[in-house]
Amino acid sequence: MDSLYTLTTTVNGRIHTRVVEPRMLLSDFLREDLALTGTHVGCEHGVCGACTVLVDGVAVRSCLMFAPQVDGCAVETVEGLAPGPDRLSLLQEAFRETHALQCGFCTPGILMTIKAFLAETPDPSETEIRETLGGTLCRCTGYQAIVAAVTLAAARLRTQGASP
Amino acid sequence: MKPAPFQYLKARSLEEALAAKAALGDDARFLAGGQSLIPTMNFRMAQPTALVDLNGLTGLAGIAEQPDGTIGIGALARHRDVERSAVIARWQPMLVEAVREVAHPQIRARGTLCGNLAHADPMSELPAVMLALGARLTAQSVSGQRMIAAQDFFRGVFTTALSAEEMLVHVAVPPLQAGTGTCFLELARRKGDYAMAGVAAVVTLDDRRLCRSARLAYCAAGETPVLAEPAAGLLVGAVIDADSAAAVGTAAAEVLAPTGDVQAGADYKRHLAAVLTKRALLAAADRARGA
């Protein structure tokens, strides 16, 4: 049992090895150690959902995992969504078109949540979309536009067979 | 806030985890899903000196049907695994109904059933479901294993029959008798919130479609999950219809001790529990008739 832990993790396809204190939260590891500040930290107790990332393809709260717990795992953050510097992913494009963000603080967590959701639920009902969005708080939009964005993205994914 | 420093051990075997807990004592905690533990650590309400991480022990993640129809659920089976288990959906559909009400998908992706039970939050759905289903919980320490009935497991708010050395390693849910229907219902202001009231109903009918036995258990009803045995007993030998179900709901609600809060007062929560009981009993009886 050591006071420091050496972990190796793949984040957005890049392998990183870092030495951390075990108490380092995954959210802080991404933001502070890897400078991936797209993952936002809101409540730090698993309520707001802003820090949601994918660990081995599953959406989780990064404030409710310790960094050593992703040793050997593949992590995806919002920085990994866009296919290139000047391009948006299909999901991001749907959010832009439907004005599904205002301040944008909650958006990274919502995008990652919905990416995993649409991969498992390609043809969601509005109820399913709303229940899934219930795990993330948005204080600006009133959610209508976010539901529209998810609906639009789901329809495009079904017709194009692309990745979110 | 950030958690206080702690020693971290990634356990490579159950034996290693149990030995570490025995050596480190009550100030060390097992880390499974961590979805209740880590928030309290982030607020420094909990400051364990060491965490024994169980997440590498994939042998504990199983959900399996035993030859007698009992369903065994291991310490590392996550809510998401329970939600998606074909075996559980087929034989214990109430467990799927209840686990879908636990928080949000991101939490269910990490949180474990056994961790939820060991946390013993009386607001949680799953302890009540285990009471209603008569589950048997297996505690293990370096000294060996012992079986604890769900009825004897929950002692108070966040308090269980587990000793400092023990881990809840397994839950066994016995098979439903022939002619049994189940239903879990709760009411929350938003999906994923803690329920204002919630009930797990198990109803067994005889071949004349009269109630042979009934069990009702409640979350959000006091310092522990509550098994309303006298109220459920009123149904035995009776036809389960709107009148009898409503009467049982009223009787059960009288023994509940919910805490009033900003969402609803205690009386209103008892009223909700009575209404949900009636609906859950009728649904469970319908399912029993189809079973």
Side-chain angles (χ1 to χ4, degrees), chain B residues 135-146:
Chain B
R136 299 182 303 271
L137 285 62
T138 304
Q140 188 169 338
S141 70
V142 285
S143 326
Q145 281 193 347
R146 68 185 173 117

Side-chain angles (χ1 to χ4, degrees), chain B residues 267-288:
Chain B
D267 285 343
Y268 182 61
K269 289 184 177 181
R270 270 192 292 269
H271 167 74
L272 293 177
V275 174
L276 291 174
T277 301
K278 175 185 168 184
R279 293 180 188 170
L281 283 171
L282 291 173
D286 265 351
R287 292 171 182 177

Side-chain angles (χ1 to χ4, degrees), chain A residues 1 5 22-23 25 28 44-45 52 58-61 63-66 68-69 71 113 120 131 134-135, chain B residues 1-3 6-10 31 35 38-39 42-44 51 53 55 80 84 104 106 109-110 191:
Chain A
M1 214 177 291
Y5 189 94
R23 65 169 167 160
L25 296 170
D28 290 329
E44 284 194 327
H45 62 290
T52 301
V58 178
V60 300
R61 312 280 207 221
C63 76
L64 296 187
M65 284 183 76
F66 295 110
Q69 295 190 278
D71 190 10
T113 299
E120 293 176 350
E131 286 185 0
Chain B
M1 278 177 71
K2 310 297 176 189
F6 55 83
Q7 298 288 303
Y8 175 79
L9 172 69
K10 199 165 231 176
L31 174 62
Q35 302 298 287
I38 299 177
N42 288 354
F43 282 125
R44 301 208 179 188
L51 288 187
D53 188 348
N55 284 279
R80 177 184 161 92
R84 291 155 169 259
H104 303 287
Q106 299 99 319
R110 295 292 305 168
K191 172 93 173 122

